[in-house]
Amino acid sequence: MTRAPDSRTPPLAALDPRRAGGVRGDALLTAGLRLGFLALILLVWAGIARVAPPGLFASPIAVAEAGWRMAGEGRLLPALGASLTVYLGGTLIAVIFGAGLGFAMGMWRMLGRTIDVYVMALAATPRVAFIPLIIVALGLGVQAKLVVVFLGAVMPVILNAYAGVRAADPELLEMARATGAGRARILRHVILPGAMPYLLTGIRIGATIGLINTIVAELYTAIAGLGGLLALYGSRFRMAEYLAVVVVLAVIGGTMTETLRLIEKRLLRWRDG
Amino acid sequence: MPTGNAPILSASGLCAELGGRPVLEDIDLTLRRGEVLVVLGPSGCGKSTLLRLLGGLIAPGSGRVLLAGHPPRPGRGSATVFQNYRLLPWKSVIDNVVFALPEVPPTQARLRAAEVLGLVGLSRVSDAFPAQLSGGMRQRVALARALAPRPEVILMDEPFSAIDAQAREIMQGELLRLTRAVGGPGVVFVTHSVDEALILGTHVLLLSPRPGRILRRIAPPDWQGDPMAHPQFAPLRRQLWEELKESVLNDPNSDFHRAAL
């Protein structure tokens, strides 16, 4: 009724091997353009560093040297390890818990209807507001940091998993029932795969908030990790070292987003064939 | 064709309501193996509701349905083909067919699925996703999915109305060939096309506008070749069409009610 079937599509156009070469060519072009744009950013950055008052900014080369030095002195890697532990740990727990709760809310409508307004209210509250409470409860250590990251990353995961289950196509549900499929089979083969695009979007948003909250946690609880280095170099106006940490954070964020995008592309390859 | 055997599907005094308003009234029908019972009627006359009742997806308000001697249960002896294919987009063609075999061990289910995909001529694309197929091919996958569990009855809800005219004609021929090839399941075929009803049906039930009642039962002759070239086709078509048109023009709920024109 709603999906207009298009019978004019040439059959199997997407399986045509000739198109594969075109796709690879496109990917190469995109990679080239991105590298070109990176060069442009570095040029502009270098230009600004040249005209900025000394001590307030640092050139890309100075930043690279600072990063190299920090790594050599053994200050960067332990901080990176600490931050990644908190970030990946907190986000992973958020994905597992959030997907479970969101799916449960969608499956048991009573549960969903009862608590969805509270989840949304909590999602709209700045989670930073809970940091003093978390410190009182859990102290300043790794646990407190994990909770701060978890609280940030979990909300979009819950809400999107919930929305994904609720968006299940009633026509596909009826089709499944007509084949004699039971509840478990319908859940596994119809509802959960249908909710996957929503869930993956939720995870991508959650992972972004998780990284932000990692730094927030490292600044507000026991100063540690990359957030700790930001505070240290920032307060002493050591801009080259400070910007080196910022670059590392950008690389972490970019790598995470790109990895999730690849996973998404792989899992959802059925969408455009 | 073995039409002398006992009915595999029967309904008597079937009535149904939707939201407190009657949709179907007093439907009686019987179907034997190898028969194609076409249910012809205007939009909204309860044709789809009738299929849901026959497949056991909903329970009747009154009256009863028997499929192989028992009240119908989804997936037990019946399979449904829907108008808009309803394939699972995240499953390959072959896995969509396997999905209709919940109680068959995986290895055997795949063998059976490959076999029915061969029957509908889709072996070549069994690993493709539905999004890669044309409308006609998707509907053939849906047909394969319905054939896979070897149902006694296939329930078809305007299955060819969403595909183009040429594909439709080919599919109608395929359907007649296939329902005979797999040992003759009975087919209940819902349509609003008079031509389709006459070409496919061994029996045709003409339903009134909502609430659907049986206005007429006919048994088209065995056409032997091109139905359109048969001398009885045109008169039967005209007769059915006149009756269908009259019922719609006299229906106060229709956009085409006499008073409205």
Short mmCIF file of all heavy atoms in Angstrom, two decimals, chain A residues 49-111:
data_model
loop_
_atom_site.label_atom_id
_atom_site.label_comp_id
_atom_site.label_asym_id
_atom_site.label_seq_id
_atom_site.Cartn_x
_atom_site.Cartn_y
_atom_site.Cartn_z
N ALA A 49 48.98 30.79 12.56
CA ALA A 49 50.05 30.69 13.57
C ALA A 49 51.13 31.76 13.33
O ALA A 49 51.71 32.31 14.27
CB ALA A 49 50.67 29.30 13.54
N ARG A 50 51.37 32.07 12.05
CA ARG A 50 52.40 33.04 11.70
C ARG A 50 52.02 34.45 12.18
O ARG A 50 52.86 35.20 12.66
CB ARG A 50 52.59 33.02 10.19
CG ARG A 50 53.81 33.71 9.68
CD ARG A 50 53.93 33.44 8.18
NE ARG A 50 54.62 32.20 7.90
CZ ARG A 50 55.96 32.14 7.76
NH1 ARG A 50 56.70 33.22 7.90
NH2 ARG A 50 56.54 30.99 7.50
N VAL A 51 50.72 34.81 12.02
CA VAL A 51 50.30 36.18 12.36
C VAL A 51 49.86 36.31 13.82
O VAL A 51 49.74 37.42 14.33
CB VAL A 51 49.17 36.68 11.43
CG1 VAL A 51 49.67 36.75 10.00
CG2 VAL A 51 47.94 35.80 11.56
N ALA A 52 49.57 35.17 14.51
CA ALA A 52 49.08 35.25 15.89
C ALA A 52 50.22 35.73 16.81
O ALA A 52 51.39 35.46 16.54
CB ALA A 52 48.57 33.89 16.35
N PRO A 53 49.85 36.44 17.91
CA PRO A 53 50.87 36.87 18.87
C PRO A 53 51.59 35.63 19.43
O PRO A 53 50.94 34.61 19.67
CB PRO A 53 50.07 37.54 19.98
CG PRO A 53 48.71 37.75 19.45
CD PRO A 53 48.51 36.80 18.33
N PRO A 54 52.91 35.70 19.60
CA PRO A 54 53.66 34.53 20.07
C PRO A 54 53.12 34.05 21.42
O PRO A 54 52.72 34.86 22.27
CB PRO A 54 55.10 35.04 20.18
CG PRO A 54 55.04 36.51 20.03
CD PRO A 54 53.74 36.88 19.40
N GLY A 55 53.05 32.74 21.62
CA GLY A 55 52.61 32.17 22.89
C GLY A 55 51.12 31.88 22.95
O GLY A 55 50.64 31.22 23.86
N LEU A 56 50.32 32.36 21.94
CA LEU A 56 48.88 32.10 21.99
C LEU A 56 48.46 31.01 21.00
O LEU A 56 47.35 30.52 21.05
CB LEU A 56 48.11 33.38 21.69
CG LEU A 56 48.16 34.44 22.78
CD1 LEU A 56 47.22 35.61 22.43
CD2 LEU A 56 47.77 33.86 24.14
N PHE A 57 49.34 30.67 20.07
CA PHE A 57 48.98 29.67 19.07
C PHE A 57 50.26 28.96 18.66
O PHE A 57 51.37 29.41 19.00
CB PHE A 57 48.32 30.37 17.87
CG PHE A 57 47.38 29.47 17.12
CD1 PHE A 57 46.30 28.88 17.74
CD2 PHE A 57 47.58 29.23 15.77
CE1 PHE A 57 45.43 28.06 17.05
CE2 PHE A 57 46.70 28.42 15.06
CZ PHE A 57 45.62 27.83 15.70
N ALA A 58 50.14 27.85 17.96
CA ALA A 58 51.34 27.12 17.53
C ALA A 58 51.13 26.60 16.12
O ALA A 58 50.01 26.25 15.73
CB ALA A 58 51.62 25.96 18.47
N SER A 59 52.20 26.56 15.34
CA SER A 59 52.10 26.11 13.95
C SER A 59 51.97 24.58 13.92
O SER A 59 52.33 23.90 14.88
CB SER A 59 53.35 26.53 13.18
OG SER A 59 54.42 25.69 13.56
N PRO A 60 51.47 24.05 12.79
CA PRO A 60 51.34 22.59 12.67
C PRO A 60 52.67 21.87 12.94
O PRO A 60 52.67 20.81 13.57
CB PRO A 60 50.90 22.39 11.23
CG PRO A 60 50.30 23.67 10.81
CD PRO A 60 50.97 24.75 11.59
N ILE A 61 53.76 22.45 12.46
CA ILE A 61 55.05 21.78 12.65
C ILE A 61 55.44 21.75 14.13
O ILE A 61 55.85 20.72 14.66
CB ILE A 61 56.13 22.48 11.80
CG1 ILE A 61 55.83 22.20 10.30
CG2 ILE A 61 57.53 21.98 12.14
CD1 ILE A 61 56.61 23.06 9.35
N ALA A 62 55.21 22.89 14.81
CA ALA A 62 55.50 22.93 16.25
C ALA A 62 54.66 21.91 17.00
O ALA A 62 55.14 21.24 17.93
CB ALA A 62 55.25 24.33 16.79
N VAL A 63 53.40 21.79 16.57
CA VAL A 63 52.49 20.84 17.22
C VAL A 63 52.97 19.41 17.00
O VAL A 63 53.01 18.59 17.92
CB VAL A 63 51.04 21.04 16.72
CG1 VAL A 63 50.15 19.90 17.17
CG2 VAL A 63 50.49 22.37 17.20
N ALA A 64 53.37 19.11 15.76
CA ALA A 64 53.85 17.77 15.45
C ALA A 64 55.10 17.46 16.28
O ALA A 64 55.23 16.36 16.84
CB ALA A 64 54.14 17.64 13.96
N GLU A 65 56.00 18.43 16.37
CA GLU A 65 57.22 18.23 17.17
C GLU A 65 56.87 17.99 18.64
O GLU A 65 57.42 17.09 19.28
CB GLU A 65 58.13 19.45 17.06
CG GLU A 65 58.92 19.49 15.76
CD GLU A 65 59.62 20.84 15.54
OE1 GLU A 65 59.45 21.74 16.39
OE2 GLU A 65 60.31 20.97 14.51
N ALA A 66 55.91 18.78 19.14
CA ALA A 66 55.50 18.63 20.54
C ALA A 66 54.92 17.24 20.78
O ALA A 66 55.24 16.57 21.77
CB ALA A 66 54.49 19.71 20.91
N GLY A 67 54.06 16.81 19.83
CA GLY A 67 53.46 15.48 19.95
C GLY A 67 54.52 14.40 19.97
O GLY A 67 54.49 13.48 20.80
N TRP A 68 55.49 14.52 19.07
CA TRP A 68 56.58 13.55 18.98
C TRP A 68 57.36 13.51 20.29
O TRP A 68 57.68 12.44 20.81
CB TRP A 68 57.48 13.95 17.80
CG TRP A 68 58.50 12.91 17.44
CD1 TRP A 68 59.85 12.99 17.63
CD2 TRP A 68 58.25 11.62 16.87
NE1 TRP A 68 60.46 11.86 17.21
CE2 TRP A 68 59.50 10.99 16.73
CE3 TRP A 68 57.09 10.95 16.46
CZ2 TRP A 68 59.64 9.71 16.20
CZ3 TRP A 68 57.23 9.68 15.93
CH2 TRP A 68 58.48 9.07 15.80
N ARG A 69 57.65 14.71 20.81
CA ARG A 69 58.41 14.82 22.05
C ARG A 69 57.64 14.17 23.22
O ARG A 69 58.19 13.39 23.99
CB ARG A 69 58.65 16.31 22.37
CG ARG A 69 59.87 16.56 23.25
CD ARG A 69 60.28 18.03 23.24
NE ARG A 69 59.16 18.92 23.48
CZ ARG A 69 58.73 19.84 22.61
NH1 ARG A 69 59.32 19.96 21.43
NH2 ARG A 69 57.71 20.61 22.90
N MET A 70 56.35 14.48 23.30
CA MET A 70 55.52 13.93 24.38
C MET A 70 55.47 12.41 24.31
O MET A 70 55.55 11.71 25.33
CB MET A 70 54.09 14.49 24.32
CG MET A 70 53.99 15.93 24.77
SD MET A 70 52.55 16.73 24.05
CE MET A 70 51.25 15.92 24.95
N ALA A 71 55.35 11.91 23.08
CA ALA A 71 55.32 10.46 22.92
C ALA A 71 56.65 9.87 23.34
O ALA A 71 56.70 8.84 24.05
CB ALA A 71 55.00 10.10 21.46
N GLY A 72 57.75 10.55 22.95
CA GLY A 72 59.08 10.06 23.30
C GLY A 72 59.32 10.07 24.80
O GLY A 72 59.96 9.15 25.35
N GLU A 73 58.80 11.06 25.47
CA GLU A 73 58.99 11.16 26.92
C GLU A 73 58.03 10.25 27.69
O GLU A 73 58.01 10.24 28.92
CB GLU A 73 58.79 12.62 27.38
CG GLU A 73 59.91 13.53 26.91
CD GLU A 73 59.54 15.00 27.04
OE1 GLU A 73 58.43 15.28 27.58
OE2 GLU A 73 60.33 15.85 26.60
N GLY A 74 57.19 9.52 26.96
CA GLY A 74 56.28 8.57 27.61
C GLY A 74 55.14 9.24 28.34
O GLY A 74 54.62 8.71 29.32
N ARG A 75 54.72 10.43 27.86
CA ARG A 75 53.59 11.09 28.52
C ARG A 75 52.29 10.93 27.74
O ARG A 75 51.21 10.96 28.31
CB ARG A 75 53.90 12.59 28.70
CG ARG A 75 54.64 12.84 29.99
CD ARG A 75 54.82 14.31 30.22
NE ARG A 75 55.80 14.85 29.26
CZ ARG A 75 55.99 16.15 29.08
NH1 ARG A 75 55.27 17.02 29.75
NH2 ARG A 75 56.92 16.57 28.24
N LEU A 76 52.42 10.77 26.42
CA LEU A 76 51.21 10.75 25.59
C LEU A 76 50.51 9.39 25.64
O LEU A 76 49.29 9.30 25.83
CB LEU A 76 51.59 11.08 24.13
CG LEU A 76 50.42 11.41 23.21
CD1 LEU A 76 49.59 12.56 23.76
CD2 LEU A 76 50.92 11.74 21.81
N LEU A 77 51.31 8.31 25.48
CA LEU A 77 50.68 7.00 25.37
C LEU A 77 49.91 6.56 26.62
O LEU A 77 48.78 6.07 26.50
CB LEU A 77 51.70 5.94 24.96
CG LEU A 77 52.12 6.02 23.47
CD1 LEU A 77 53.07 4.89 23.12
CD2 LEU A 77 50.90 6.00 22.56
N PRO A 78 50.47 6.73 27.83
CA PRO A 78 49.68 6.35 29.02
C PRO A 78 48.38 7.15 29.12
O PRO A 78 47.32 6.60 29.45
CB PRO A 78 50.61 6.69 30.19
CG PRO A 78 51.97 6.71 29.60
CD PRO A 78 51.82 7.18 28.20
N ALA A 79 48.45 8.45 28.78
CA ALA A 79 47.24 9.28 28.82
C ALA A 79 46.23 8.79 27.80
O ALA A 79 45.03 8.68 28.07
CB ALA A 79 47.60 10.74 28.56
N LEU A 80 46.74 8.48 26.60
CA LEU A 80 45.87 7.96 25.55
C LEU A 80 45.20 6.66 26.00
O LEU A 80 43.99 6.46 25.83
CB LEU A 80 46.69 7.73 24.27
CG LEU A 80 45.95 7.18 23.05
CD1 LEU A 80 44.92 8.18 22.56
CD2 LEU A 80 46.94 6.85 21.93
N GLY A 81 46.01 5.78 26.61
CA GLY A 81 45.48 4.50 27.09
C GLY A 81 44.39 4.71 28.12
O GLY A 81 43.32 4.08 28.05
N ALA A 82 44.65 5.62 29.07
CA ALA A 82 43.66 5.87 30.12
C ALA A 82 42.36 6.40 29.53
O ALA A 82 41.26 5.94 29.87
CB ALA A 82 44.22 6.87 31.14
N SER A 83 42.48 7.35 28.59
CA SER A 83 41.27 7.93 28.00
C SER A 83 40.51 6.91 27.17
O SER A 83 39.28 6.83 27.24
CB SER A 83 41.63 9.12 27.10
OG SER A 83 42.08 10.18 27.90
N LEU A 84 41.24 6.11 26.38
CA LEU A 84 40.57 5.12 25.53
C LEU A 84 39.85 4.08 26.38
O LEU A 84 38.75 3.63 26.04
CB LEU A 84 41.57 4.44 24.60
CG LEU A 84 41.97 5.24 23.35
CD1 LEU A 84 42.96 4.45 22.51
CD2 LEU A 84 40.75 5.61 22.51
N THR A 85 40.48 3.69 27.51
CA THR A 85 39.84 2.71 28.40
C THR A 85 38.49 3.24 28.87
O THR A 85 37.46 2.55 28.79
CB THR A 85 40.73 2.43 29.61
OG1 THR A 85 42.02 2.05 29.14
CG2 THR A 85 40.15 1.32 30.49
N VAL A 86 38.52 4.49 29.36
CA VAL A 86 37.28 5.09 29.87
C VAL A 86 36.26 5.25 28.74
O VAL A 86 35.09 4.89 28.88
CB VAL A 86 37.59 6.46 30.52
CG1 VAL A 86 36.30 7.21 30.83
CG2 VAL A 86 38.40 6.26 31.79
N TYR A 87 36.74 5.76 27.60
CA TYR A 87 35.84 6.04 26.47
C TYR A 87 35.22 4.76 25.93
O TYR A 87 33.99 4.62 25.86
CB TYR A 87 36.63 6.78 25.39
CG TYR A 87 35.89 6.99 24.09
CD1 TYR A 87 34.55 7.38 24.08
CD2 TYR A 87 36.53 6.81 22.86
CE1 TYR A 87 33.88 7.59 22.90
CE2 TYR A 87 35.86 7.02 21.67
CZ TYR A 87 34.55 7.40 21.69
OH TYR A 87 33.88 7.60 20.51
N LEU A 88 36.07 3.81 25.53
CA LEU A 88 35.54 2.60 24.90
C LEU A 88 34.76 1.76 25.91
O LEU A 88 33.70 1.21 25.58
CB LEU A 88 36.68 1.78 24.29
CG LEU A 88 37.43 2.48 23.15
CD1 LEU A 88 38.56 1.60 22.61
CD2 LEU A 88 36.47 2.85 22.01
N GLY A 89 35.25 1.68 27.15
CA GLY A 89 34.54 0.91 28.18
C GLY A 89 33.16 1.48 28.43
O GLY A 89 32.16 0.76 28.37
N GLY A 90 33.09 2.78 28.68
CA GLY A 90 31.81 3.43 28.99
C GLY A 90 30.84 3.32 27.82
O GLY A 90 29.65 3.05 27.99
N THR A 91 31.36 3.51 26.60
CA THR A 91 30.50 3.46 25.41
C THR A 91 29.98 2.04 25.17
O THR A 91 28.81 1.84 24.85
CB THR A 91 31.25 3.99 24.17
OG1 THR A 91 31.78 5.28 24.48
CG2 THR A 91 30.33 4.10 22.97
N LEU A 92 30.88 1.06 25.35
CA LEU A 92 30.47 -0.33 25.13
C LEU A 92 29.35 -0.74 26.09
O LEU A 92 28.34 -1.34 25.69
CB LEU A 92 31.68 -1.26 25.29
CG LEU A 92 31.41 -2.73 24.98
CD1 LEU A 92 31.14 -2.91 23.48
CD2 LEU A 92 32.58 -3.61 25.39
N ILE A 93 29.54 -0.38 27.38
CA ILE A 93 28.48 -0.70 28.36
C ILE A 93 27.18 0.01 27.96
O ILE A 93 26.10 -0.56 28.04
CB ILE A 93 28.91 -0.28 29.79
CG1 ILE A 93 30.19 -1.02 30.17
CG2 ILE A 93 27.81 -0.61 30.80
CD1 ILE A 93 30.86 -0.44 31.42
N ALA A 94 27.31 1.25 27.48
CA ALA A 94 26.13 2.02 27.08
C ALA A 94 25.41 1.34 25.91
O ALA A 94 24.18 1.28 25.88
CB ALA A 94 26.52 3.44 26.70
N VAL A 95 26.18 0.81 24.95
CA VAL A 95 25.57 0.17 23.79
C VAL A 95 24.82 -1.09 24.22
O VAL A 95 23.66 -1.31 23.84
CB VAL A 95 26.64 -0.17 22.72
CG1 VAL A 95 26.07 -1.11 21.66
CG2 VAL A 95 27.15 1.10 22.07
N ILE A 96 25.47 -1.91 25.06
CA ILE A 96 24.84 -3.17 25.49
C ILE A 96 23.58 -2.88 26.32
O ILE A 96 22.49 -3.38 26.03
CB ILE A 96 25.83 -4.02 26.30
CG1 ILE A 96 26.98 -4.48 25.37
CG2 ILE A 96 25.13 -5.23 26.91
CD1 ILE A 96 28.17 -5.05 26.10
N PHE A 97 23.75 -2.01 27.31
CA PHE A 97 22.61 -1.70 28.19
C PHE A 97 21.51 -0.97 27.42
O PHE A 97 20.33 -1.29 27.53
CB PHE A 97 23.10 -0.87 29.37
CG PHE A 97 21.99 -0.45 30.30
CD1 PHE A 97 21.56 -1.29 31.31
CD2 PHE A 97 21.38 0.79 30.15
CE1 PHE A 97 20.53 -0.91 32.16
CE2 PHE A 97 20.35 1.18 31.00
CZ PHE A 97 19.92 0.33 32.00
N GLY A 98 21.91 0.04 26.63
CA GLY A 98 20.94 0.88 25.92
C GLY A 98 20.13 0.08 24.91
O GLY A 98 18.92 0.24 24.80
N ALA A 99 20.83 -0.80 24.15
CA ALA A 99 20.12 -1.61 23.16
C ALA A 99 19.13 -2.53 23.89
O ALA A 99 17.98 -2.67 23.48
CB ALA A 99 21.10 -2.42 22.33
N GLY A 100 19.59 -3.15 24.98
CA GLY A 100 18.73 -4.06 25.74
C GLY A 100 17.49 -3.35 26.27
O GLY A 100 16.36 -3.80 26.04
N LEU A 101 17.71 -2.21 26.91
CA LEU A 101 16.57 -1.49 27.51
C LEU A 101 15.64 -0.95 26.41
O LEU A 101 14.42 -1.07 26.51
CB LEU A 101 17.06 -0.34 28.40
CG LEU A 101 15.94 0.47 29.07
CD1 LEU A 101 15.10 -0.42 29.98
CD2 LEU A 101 16.50 1.64 29.86
N GLY A 102 16.23 -0.37 25.36
CA GLY A 102 15.42 0.19 24.27
C GLY A 102 14.56 -0.87 23.61
O GLY A 102 13.37 -0.67 23.37
N PHE A 103 15.17 -2.03 23.31
CA PHE A 103 14.40 -3.13 22.70
C PHE A 103 13.31 -3.61 23.65
O PHE A 103 12.18 -3.87 23.23
CB PHE A 103 15.33 -4.29 22.32
CG PHE A 103 16.19 -4.02 21.11
CD1 PHE A 103 17.44 -4.61 20.97
CD2 PHE A 103 15.74 -3.18 20.10
CE1 PHE A 103 18.23 -4.35 19.84
CE2 PHE A 103 16.52 -2.92 18.97
CZ PHE A 103 17.76 -3.51 18.85
N ALA A 104 13.65 -3.74 24.93
CA ALA A 104 12.65 -4.19 25.91
C ALA A 104 11.48 -3.21 25.98
O ALA A 104 10.32 -3.62 26.01
CB ALA A 104 13.29 -4.36 27.28
N MET A 105 11.81 -1.91 25.96
CA MET A 105 10.73 -0.89 25.99
C MET A 105 9.83 -1.00 24.77
O MET A 105 8.63 -0.77 24.84
CB MET A 105 11.34 0.51 26.06
CG MET A 105 11.89 0.89 27.43
SD MET A 105 12.93 2.37 27.33
CE MET A 105 11.70 3.61 26.88
N GLY A 106 10.43 -1.33 23.62
CA GLY A 106 9.63 -1.47 22.40
C GLY A 106 8.82 -2.75 22.39
O GLY A 106 7.69 -2.78 21.90
N MET A 107 9.37 -3.82 22.96
CA MET A 107 8.68 -5.10 22.94
C MET A 107 7.52 -5.13 23.93
O MET A 107 6.45 -5.62 23.63
CB MET A 107 9.65 -6.24 23.29
CG MET A 107 10.66 -6.56 22.22
SD MET A 107 9.87 -6.96 20.64
CE MET A 107 8.97 -8.43 21.09
N TRP A 108 7.79 -4.63 25.16
CA TRP A 108 6.71 -4.58 26.15
C TRP A 108 6.17 -3.16 26.19
O TRP A 108 6.74 -2.28 26.84
CB TRP A 108 7.21 -5.03 27.53
CG TRP A 108 7.50 -6.49 27.55
CD1 TRP A 108 6.58 -7.50 27.58
CD2 TRP A 108 8.79 -7.11 27.52
NE1 TRP A 108 7.22 -8.72 27.56
CE2 TRP A 108 8.57 -8.52 27.52
CE3 TRP A 108 10.11 -6.64 27.48
CZ2 TRP A 108 9.61 -9.43 27.50
CZ3 TRP A 108 11.14 -7.55 27.45
CH2 TRP A 108 10.88 -8.93 27.46
N ARG A 109 5.10 -2.94 25.46
CA ARG A 109 4.57 -1.59 25.27
C ARG A 109 4.28 -0.90 26.59
O ARG A 109 4.46 0.30 26.73
CB ARG A 109 3.30 -1.63 24.41
CG ARG A 109 3.54 -2.24 23.04
CD ARG A 109 4.66 -1.50 22.32
NE ARG A 109 4.33 -0.11 22.14
CZ ARG A 109 3.63 0.37 21.14
NH1 ARG A 109 3.20 -0.41 20.21
NH2 ARG A 109 3.36 1.66 21.06
N MET A 110 3.81 -1.70 27.59
CA MET A 110 3.49 -1.12 28.89
C MET A 110 4.74 -0.51 29.51
O MET A 110 4.72 0.62 30.00
CB MET A 110 2.94 -2.23 29.79
CG MET A 110 2.32 -1.73 31.07
SD MET A 110 0.67 -1.10 30.71
CE MET A 110 -0.28 -2.58 31.01
N LEU A 111 5.84 -1.25 29.48
CA LEU A 111 7.11 -0.74 30.01
C LEU A 111 7.52 0.53 29.26
O LEU A 111 7.87 1.54 29.87
CB LEU A 111 8.19 -1.81 29.86
CG LEU A 111 9.62 -1.41 30.27
CD1 LEU A 111 9.72 -1.24 31.77
CD2 LEU A 111 10.65 -2.41 29.77
#
